[in-house]
Amino acid sequence: MHKGENCGVECLMSQANPKLNWCIARLGSDLNWWVEEISDDIHWDVDGLGIVDPRQVAYVIDLLEPLQEYNLDPQLFENAFFGFSIDKEIKDGYVRLVRTKGSLLEADEPLFALPDVIDEEKGPYADFIEHVTRLRVRMLNDLIDFAQKLTIEELEEEIREQQNSDLLEGRATHFFQEITSILEYVPEGYELEADEERKAPSEEDAVEEEFDDLDSEDETLEEDDTMKWDEDEEDEDEEEGEKKPEDA
């Protein structure tokens, strides 16, 4: 095929394809969000397509912070994702998201992040994964005294084994799981104190926070009522004490 013919076909496809401007996401039983429907269904296959929710985005940003000392390129992170804001809740567990071009690192509102995996091997998301994998290995070699230097191949092999295990069990590997498995990776038998202090977000955490708020309010109300009851009892005791001498 001549170059001109190839360009004509690509231009025609580009004009015919709808733009990526909205998607519908559902909350899975694993507490991760998955794309159910998307505006650009030609370039995107929603089968097993995960999307990173705002709490997970914040957690990933937190995990990236230690890599700044090892020349982390924040622009690779920005390029790796399409940002989406919440448009409306369709029904329980389903939300409609609309595309936004705002920065994930400087967003004023909670944003979902859809990895750019149109080209899985050479796309922006693949570049980001390669970048943080290399930096994580460099950081581990700097902080841990290994008998032999940790290699990128060793980390990648272990990640592939986890993904293959999920595949054999019929589970799709969520992007959040893939990213955190790299940014939290430590060889077996070793640990980093900074990693131990972090805790991945979960739906249960949000629920617990709500219950904590309710408990604190109840405790305040109960304390006020108890104080009133104590005052009433003290007043009654004083009245009885005053009456007893008279009765005597």
Side-chain angles (χ1 to χ4, degrees), residues 9 13 35 53 71 82 118 124 134 158 161 165 180 186 203 205 223 228 242 245:
V9 173
M13 290 180 61
V35 177
D53 70 40
N71 299 324
F82 296 109
I118 296 178
R134 178 163 43 84
E158 190 161 334
E161 289 179 357
S165 177
T180 54
V186 179
E203 196 72 18
D205 294 338
E223 183 179 356
K228 291 180 180 179
E242 293 175 355

Side-chain angles (χ1 to χ4, degrees), residues 197-210:
E197 294 175 357
R198 296 188 182 91
K199 183 180 179 183
S202 68
E203 196 72 18
E204 295 177 357
D205 294 338
V207 174
E208 288 179 0
E209 289 178 3
E210 292 179 3

Side-chain angles (χ1 to χ4, degrees), residues 199-246:
K199 183 180 179 183
S202 68
E203 196 72 18
E204 295 177 357
D205 294 338
V207 174
E208 288 179 0
E209 289 178 3
E210 292 179 3
F211 278 119
D212 290 341
D213 293 339
L214 291 175
D215 291 340
S216 62
E217 292 177 1
D218 292 342
E219 289 175 0
T220 303
L221 291 174
E222 184 177 351
E223 183 179 356
D224 293 340
D225 293 337
T226 303
M227 291 173 63
K228 291 180 180 179
W229 292 337
D230 292 341
E231 291 175 358
D232 294 341
E233 291 177 356
E234 289 177 0
D235 293 340
E236 292 177 358
D237 291 341
E238 291 178 358
E239 292 178 358
E240 291 179 359
E242 293 175 355
K243 292 178 180 179
K244 283 180 180 178
E246 296 177 0

Side-chain angles (χ1 to χ4, degrees), residues 32-43:
N32 288 314
W33 288 89
W34 302 86
V35 177
E36 185 77 9
E37 187 179 348
I38 198 164
S39 59
D40 186 357
D41 57 359
I42 294 179
H43 293 101

Side-chain angles (χ1 to χ4, degrees), residues 29-247:
S29 58
D30 58 353
L31 301 182
N32 288 314
W33 288 89
W34 302 86
V35 177
E36 185 77 9
E37 187 179 348
I38 198 164
S39 59
D40 186 357
D41 57 359
I42 294 179
H43 293 101
W44 295 86
D45 182 8
V46 298
D47 185 21
L49 180 61
I51 186 168
V52 186
D53 70 40
R55 292 176 298 111
Q56 293 173 337
V57 170
Y59 184 68
V60 169
I61 293 175
D62 187 38
L63 289 178
L64 290 173
E65 186 176 350
L67 298 182
Q68 292 180 2
E69 299 180 11
Y70 299 89
N71 299 324
L72 174 70
D73 186 351
Q75 193 58 46
L76 286 177
F77 172 75
E78 295 279 16
N79 295 341
F81 301 91
F82 296 109
F84 285 83
S85 61
I86 299 177
D87 179 31
K88 61 181 178 180
E89 182 179 4
I90 299 175
K91 58 181 178 179
D92 189 24
Y94 286 78
V95 293
R96 187 180 189 275
L97 307 174
V98 292
R99 177 81 181 281
T100 176
K101 295 183 179 180
S103 168
L104 289 173
L105 293 173
E106 301 176 0
D108 295 329
E109 60 176 328
L111 295 180
F112 282 73
L114 178 65
D116 185 350
V117 290
I118 296 178
D119 187 342
E120 296 183 2
E121 297 182 357
K122 298 180 181 179
Y125 178 72
D127 293 340
F128 166 71
I129 290 296
E130 187 276 332
H131 180 59
V132 296
T133 300
R134 178 163 43 84
L135 296 187
R136 180 68 181 183
V137 170
R138 186 188 302 176
M139 186 184 76
L140 290 174
N141 282 322
D142 186 32
L143 298 179
I144 300 177
D145 186 17
F146 296 112
Q148 292 183 344
K149 289 286 187 180
L150 178 69
T151 65
I152 294 175
E153 290 74 17
E154 289 175 325
L155 190 156
E156 291 177 337
E157 182 179 358
E158 190 161 334
I159 300 301
R160 279 195 300 269
E161 289 179 357
Q162 296 175 4
Q163 294 177 347
N164 291 336
S165 177
D166 290 342
L167 184 62
L168 291 174
E169 295 179 8
R171 294 195 306 267
T173 301
H174 195 275
F175 291 117
F176 177 70
Q177 179 183 351
E178 179 181 23
I179 298 169
T180 54
S181 63
I182 296 171
L183 296 178
E184 295 179 332
Y185 175 79
V186 179
E188 187 176 355
Y190 299 90
E191 64 179 18
L192 292 178
E193 293 182 0
D195 290 344
E196 292 296 325
E197 294 175 357
R198 296 188 182 91
K199 183 180 179 183
S202 68
E203 196 72 18
E204 295 177 357
D205 294 338
V207 174
E208 288 179 0
E209 289 178 3
E210 292 179 3
F211 278 119
D212 290 341
D213 293 339
L214 291 175
D215 291 340
S216 62
E217 292 177 1
D218 292 342
E219 289 175 0
T220 303
L221 291 174
E222 184 177 351
E223 183 179 356
D224 293 340
D225 293 337
T226 303
M227 291 173 63
K228 291 180 180 179
W229 292 337
D230 292 341
E231 291 175 358
D232 294 341
E233 291 177 356
E234 289 177 0
D235 293 340
E236 292 177 358
D237 291 341
E238 291 178 358
E239 292 178 358
E240 291 179 359
E242 293 175 355
K243 292 178 180 179
K244 283 180 180 178
E246 296 177 0
D247 294 341

